[in-house]
Amino acid sequence: MNDILPNTTASWLVLESKLTDLMARYGYSQIRLPVVEKTELFQRAVGAATDIVEKEMYTFKDRNGDSLSLRPEGTAGCVRAAIENGLLHNQRQRLWYSGPMFRHERPQKGRYRQFHQLGVEAYGMAGPDIDAELIMLSARLWQELGIKGLELQINSLGSADARARYRGQLLQYWGEHKEQLDEDSLRRMEANPLRILDSKNPAMQDIIAQAPQLIDALDQESREHFAQFRAMLDSVGISYRVNPRLVRGLDYYNATVFEWVTDQLGAQGTVCAGGRYDGLVAQLGGRDTTAIGFAIGLERLLELLQLSANDKQASQLDVCLVMVGEAAQANGIVLAESIRSALPALRLQSLCGGGSFKSQMKRADKSGAHVALILADDEVKTATVGLKFLRDDQAQQRLEQTKVAQRLTEILAGHVNKA
Ligand code: ATP
Ligand code: MG
């Protein structure tokens, strides 16, 4: 679990504001959900025979003896909330949320025990158009963030019936190759033979590659849905690869599934993953409602942003106010407030706490601000202030305190124009 420190929160804030803006532009509304749910919710939704539920959840008993878990993902809680609050009664809903998720995985690059996801969910729309919209939304996000080189992998898991037929074929296949299965897979074989396809064990990859493919067992309806979905992606020029092994790590998916994958992050290359989960709402006690959604891993996305150098650390300050001596402090604190009232968007930091002129100038230099305002006894007596450019080669100026807001406006406008 990571502390997100002041030198990276600026990147988080920029990313979060871009995400919020994009969601609004596609007509998605934000929902805010608790980080704790009943353990049973995840057992039923994510699936009892998944890595997440079998070995990754932070589960505890609360004071009533109820078993609760820190949420390992957001979809289950979102569906629960939508059912409980009647959001799905003959309604279509486009929802999004973001926040921390918790999984007790082996920590490594790109894999943390508290990580953050942006989740996007759409309810009550059965057609492939919403599937395509979600892909287009995510593609636009990569484009606007300047991220290149993500590969879109898609697959169809078909209907429950098709999967049941396929399950039989797969069971037989695993049965014939039992000696090559690892412990997890042997244990899961009966409960969920599809789950084995999602194994991350390198030793299993050969036998997985030879397994029969679900895409060959698809029902007619899923086949058509998938074909239309692909045609829609083609029509806007989004390229993709059909990956018949893509089954996703959670049990609730059916029909369309997808992942956006990069080769720039090492083993943890999936940045965004999702798919249809048409059966989940009814399974959790709601009226039968079609659904589709995806989640973006924000740590991995930020990592990619840093690699593509699109995460330019913008300066967090415009002005630093240097105050040397007691009189300057008393005057400065008032001057700073009057400047803030006049220029509400200005980012001004007063160097409270005193110190010599030299040490305060050092701090001002380090702060990243464009301009230092300087107050010492002399300036206080004459109601003036010194103005020093910290980034540009320009002579220091002295001006009346009443003119300083106007002068700062001109200087900073010049900076915006240059940028
Ligand atoms: P993976 O195959 O990488 O384990 P998953 O199938 O478990 O992923 P989802 O539950 O679909 O992933 O989560 C969606 C996204 O959330 C992932 O694609 C990834 O970007 C991110 N994510 C998942 N687990 C972690 C983690 N432990 N640390 C950081 N990000 C994660
Ligand atoms: Mg996982």
Side-chain angles (χ1 to χ4, degrees):
M1 297 189 184
N2 297 312
D3 300 310
I4 300 176
L5 298 173
N7 60 354
T8 41
T9 44
S11 309
W12 280 87
L13 284 169
V14 170
L15 178 61
E16 283 159 1
S17 88
K18 286 185 177 167
L19 293 170
T20 305
D21 174 64
L22 184 71
M23 289 304 129
R25 282 153 58 208
Y26 275 80
Y28 286 71
S29 308
Q30 193 189 36
I31 185 166
R32 299 189 182 198
L33 301 161
V35 293
V36 177
E37 298 276 356
K38 291 199 170 123
T39 303
E40 189 205 343
L41 174 70
F42 301 115
Q43 289 167 337
R44 288 168 63 192
V46 177
T50 57
D51 278 348
I52 293 178
V53 170
E54 272 189 349
K55 42 191 182 190
E56 296 174 358
M57 284 208 298
Y58 285 88
T59 297
F60 58 95
K61 286 227 154 60
D62 81 352
R63 287 170 190 276
N64 309 325
D66 296 332
S67 179
L68 304 181
S69 295
L70 296 183
R71 62 180 182 193
E73 56 94 59
T75 300
C78 189
V79 170
R80 180 207 44 75
I83 295 171
E84 272 178 22
N85 296 286
L87 301 187
L88 303 177
H89 290 313
N90 302 317
Q91 286 183 62
R92 295 173 179 184
Q93 288 286 354
R94 285 175 159 87
L95 303 174
W96 72 274
Y97 48 84
S98 84
M101 307 292 162
F102 304 85
R103 297 184 193 176
H104 194 275
E105 302 195 67
R106 191 169 69 77
Q108 52 196 293
K109 185 168 171 289
R111 204 176 275 294
Y112 312 106
R113 291 182 173 174
Q114 174 173 339
F115 61 98
H116 296 78
Q117 285 185 339
L118 170 89
V120 182
E121 320 280 0
Y123 298 101
M125 290 161 268
D129 49 352
I130 186 69
D131 306 22
E133 178 185 277
L134 286 180
I135 300 287
M136 291 166 193
L137 183 160
S138 49
R140 185 175 300 279
L141 180 63
W142 318 141
Q143 189 209 331
E144 292 183 1
L145 293 174
I147 292 176
K148 297 204 176 74
L150 283 179
E151 182 189 54
L152 173 63
Q153 300 183 5
I154 61 174
N155 192 21
S156 176
L157 301 181
S159 64
D161 285 350
R163 271 201 311 290
R165 275 197 306 278
Y166 175 63
R167 188 179 186 279
Q169 292 176 24
L170 208 52
L171 251 181
Q172 190 186 343
Y173 175 80
W174 299 138
E176 288 160 8
H177 298 84
K178 252 187 172 156
E179 69 291 348
Q180 294 178 57
L181 297 182
D182 64 11
E183 212 178 296
D184 272 349
S185 304
L186 282 170
R187 188 163 34 79
R188 284 174 184 169
M189 205 173 109
E190 291 292 334
N192 194 341
L194 264 77
R195 187 90 346 275
I196 300 176
L197 294 172
D198 191 48
S199 165
K200 307 274 192 298
N201 182 353
M204 296 267 304
Q205 297 312 309
D206 264 356
I207 174 176
I208 288 172
Q210 306 295 321
Q213 299 192 359
L214 175 53
I215 206 142
D216 300 326
L218 280 193
D219 51 295
Q220 186 59 25
E221 197 186 333
S222 302
R223 221 179 265 280
E224 277 167 21
H225 185 107
F226 196 49
Q228 286 168 16
F229 168 59
R230 292 175 57 171
M232 287 175 187
L233 296 183
D234 293 337
S235 69
V236 292
I238 293 181
S239 50
Y240 52 82
R241 181 165 73 81
V242 178
N243 175 0
R245 310 285 159 207
L246 189 67
V247 293
R248 308 284 304 107
L250 303 82
D251 278 355
Y252 48 59
Y253 290 108
N254 67 288
T256 314
V257 289
F258 59 90
E259 292 191 2
W260 287 93
V261 184
T262 174
D263 56 12
Q264 294 176 59
L265 295 179
Q268 271 62 58
T270 303
V271 177
C272 170
R276 280 209 161 263
Y277 52 97
D278 295 321
L280 186 61
V281 178
Q283 191 193 317
L284 294 180
R287 225 178 285 173
D288 210 4
T289 307
T290 58
I292 179 166
F294 68 72
I296 297 177
L298 295 183
E299 279 80 1
R300 293 187 196 174
L301 185 58
L302 274 169
E303 179 104 6
L304 259 191
L305 272 175
Q306 265 138 27
L307 288 176
S308 64
N310 281 318
D311 181 46
K312 293 189 196 75
Q313 274 286 338
S315 161
Q316 294 185 53
L317 277 182
D318 301 311
V319 177
C320 247
L321 175 61
V322 172
M323 305 179 287
V324 188
E326 271 173 35
Q329 282 174 350
N331 181 182
I333 222 76
V334 176
L335 178 64
E337 284 306 297
S338 75
I339 295 173
R340 289 189 180 106
S341 297
L343 306 174
L346 185 83
R347 298 165 305 173
L348 182 155
Q349 187 180 71
S350 303
L351 296 180
C352 296
S356 69
F357 172 73
K358 205 172 147 200
S359 72
Q360 289 196 47
M361 281 313 291
K362 251 194 207 154
R363 282 200 266 160
D365 263 330
K366 262 175 73 179
S367 75
H370 294 293
V371 169
L373 292 178
I374 302 162
L375 277 181
D377 288 345
D378 217 28
E379 284 82 6
V380 175
K381 268 183 222 140
T382 52
T384 58
V385 62
L387 189 154
K388 187 170 166 30
F389 292 88
L390 298 170
R391 313 281 197 84
D392 307 322
D393 199 12
Q394 280 193 58
Q396 186 168 329
Q397 306 170 358
R398 188 187 266 226
L399 53 154
E400 288 168 37
Q401 293 187 6
T402 51
K403 304 248 167 75
V404 71
Q406 177 57 34
R407 184 73 189 104
L408 287 173
T409 307
E410 292 157 14
I411 292 169
L412 295 169
H415 269 284
V416 171
N417 290 342
K418 260 191 251 163

